[in-house]
């Protein structure tokens, strides 16, 4: 029903539940995806309802925007290096979940913040999955994803170069200070431990 609206309370509860699941995925992606295997069909049915619902109403309410953000994160974790879960994105009638992702509003391809939500999820959904990759190629311009990846790789390379330079030069004083501090700690703390603890342990074992 296109005119049906979920109450804001329902959207907030759904968003909170997804946030919990996303936190589980950050801590243990294997456990998270194992849970997904047990409830695959339920999850896909839920996603096929909620993603188009939010997509049609994005920008109308904060609850909708927040829910779509958690949905995109959830789908990324759900499909990350998991071909069985990736294949579910093509399951069901057209438009499939994969098609819904590729046809989100233009702001998800132009706005920097929203691109950081959608494009990583598309990468997870298509990584080493030919069928999903071909479907994505028919629904959107793949150059957008290629440009995004190139930009991220360049940023990563610059970051690694900067870290390498800082570790090789300019860090002498910090290393000297850290070694002096560690030496002072050894001098002040370790001798009392060596004098007291071993003697107590030895005496205790002899009494036993």
């Amino acid at each position: 029903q296109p005119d049906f609206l979920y109450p804001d309370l329902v959207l907030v509860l759904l968003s909170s539940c997804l946030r919990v699941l996303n936190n589980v995925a950050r801590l243990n992606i294997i456990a998270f995806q194992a849970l997904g295997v047990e409830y695959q069909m339920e999850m896909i049915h839920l996603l096929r309802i909620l993603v188009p619902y939010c997509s049609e109403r994005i920008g109308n309410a904060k609850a909708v925007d927040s829910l779509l953000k958690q949905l995109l994160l959830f789908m990324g974790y759900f499909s990350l290096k998991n071909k069985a879960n990736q294949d579910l994105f093509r399951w069901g009638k057209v438009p499939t979940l994969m098609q819904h992702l590729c046809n989100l509003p233009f702001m998800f391809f132009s706005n920097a913040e929203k691109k950081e939500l959608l494009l990583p999820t598309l990468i997870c959904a298509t990584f080493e999955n030919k069928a999903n990759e071909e479907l994505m190629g028919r629904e959107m311009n793949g150059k957008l994803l290629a440009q995004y990846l190139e930009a991220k790789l360049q940023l990563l390379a610059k970051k690694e170069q900067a870290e390498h330079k800082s570790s090789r030069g300019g860090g002498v004083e910090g290393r000297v200070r850290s070694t002096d501090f560690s030496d002072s700690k050894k001098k002040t703390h370790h001798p009392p431990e060596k004098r007291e603890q071993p003697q107590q342990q030895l005496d205790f074992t002899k009494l036993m």
Side-chain angles (χ1 to χ4, degrees):
Q1 300 178 7
D3 296 329
F4 177 78
L5 294 175
Y6 290 106
D8 283 351
L9 179 60
V10 172
L11 300 178
V12 171
L13 287 173
L14 286 169
S15 182
S16 298
C17 292
L18 286 169
R19 188 178 291 110
V20 171
L21 290 172
N22 289 334
N23 287 332
V24 170
R26 291 186 186 99
L27 294 171
N28 192 330
I29 189 68
I30 296 175
F32 169 79
Q33 290 185 342
L35 180 67
V37 169
E38 188 174 354
Y39 299 100
Q40 275 184 344
M41 289 299 103
E42 290 85 352
M43 286 185 178
I44 292 301
H45 277 298
L46 187 66
L47 292 172
R48 283 177 59 86
I49 292 170
L50 292 178
V51 171
Y53 177 89
C54 293
S55 176
E56 293 167 5
R57 295 165 178 82
I58 191 70
N60 293 345
K62 288 184 178 180
V64 172
D65 295 356
S66 178
L67 177 56
L68 185 54
K69 174 182 177 179
Q70 296 303 321
L71 284 167
L72 291 173
L73 290 172
F74 178 87
M75 287 186 281
Y77 290 126
F78 183 70
S79 59
L80 179 62
K81 294 183 179 180
N82 190 312
K83 190 176 184 304
N85 289 347
Q86 289 174 338
D87 290 341
L88 289 173
F89 283 22
R90 303 190 314 276
W91 179 83
K93 295 181 180 179
V94 175
T96 63
L97 189 57
M98 191 70 201
Q99 289 172 308
H100 280 303
L101 282 177
C102 295
N103 290 282
L104 284 177
F106 181 71
M107 67 180 72
F108 282 91
F109 300 91
S110 58
N111 180 277
E113 183 180 350
K114 294 191 182 301
K115 278 199 296 186
E116 292 296 330
L117 290 173
L118 175 60
L119 299 187
T121 297
L122 285 174
I123 292 170
C124 292
T126 57
F127 182 70
E128 294 185 348
N129 191 307
K130 277 276 186 182
N132 282 3
E133 185 180 345
E134 290 174 358
L135 178 57
M136 183 182 68
R138 293 194 296 270
E139 296 292 329
M140 58 174 279
N141 189 346
K143 288 183 178 179
L144 292 171
L145 207 58
Q147 291 170 355
Y148 174 82
L149 284 171
E150 287 176 5
K152 287 297 179 182
L153 289 172
Q154 288 174 3
L155 284 175
L156 182 61
K158 289 180 181 178
K159 183 179 178 181
E160 289 177 348
Q161 288 176 0
E163 290 176 352
H164 183 65
K165 287 180 180 178
S166 64
S167 64
R168 292 189 63 184
V172 176
E173 291 183 4
R175 288 195 295 272
V176 171
R177 287 175 185 171
S178 65
T179 53
D180 291 344
F181 179 70
S182 62
D183 289 339
S184 65
K185 284 181 69 178
K186 289 179 182 177
K187 290 177 183 177
T188 54
H189 293 287
H190 283 233
E193 293 177 359
K194 288 181 180 178
R195 285 197 301 269
E196 295 176 5
Q197 289 184 356
Q199 290 178 1
Q200 289 178 354
Q201 290 176 354
L202 287 170
D203 292 339
F204 180 77
T205 53
K206 287 178 181 178
L207 288 172
M208 291 296 288

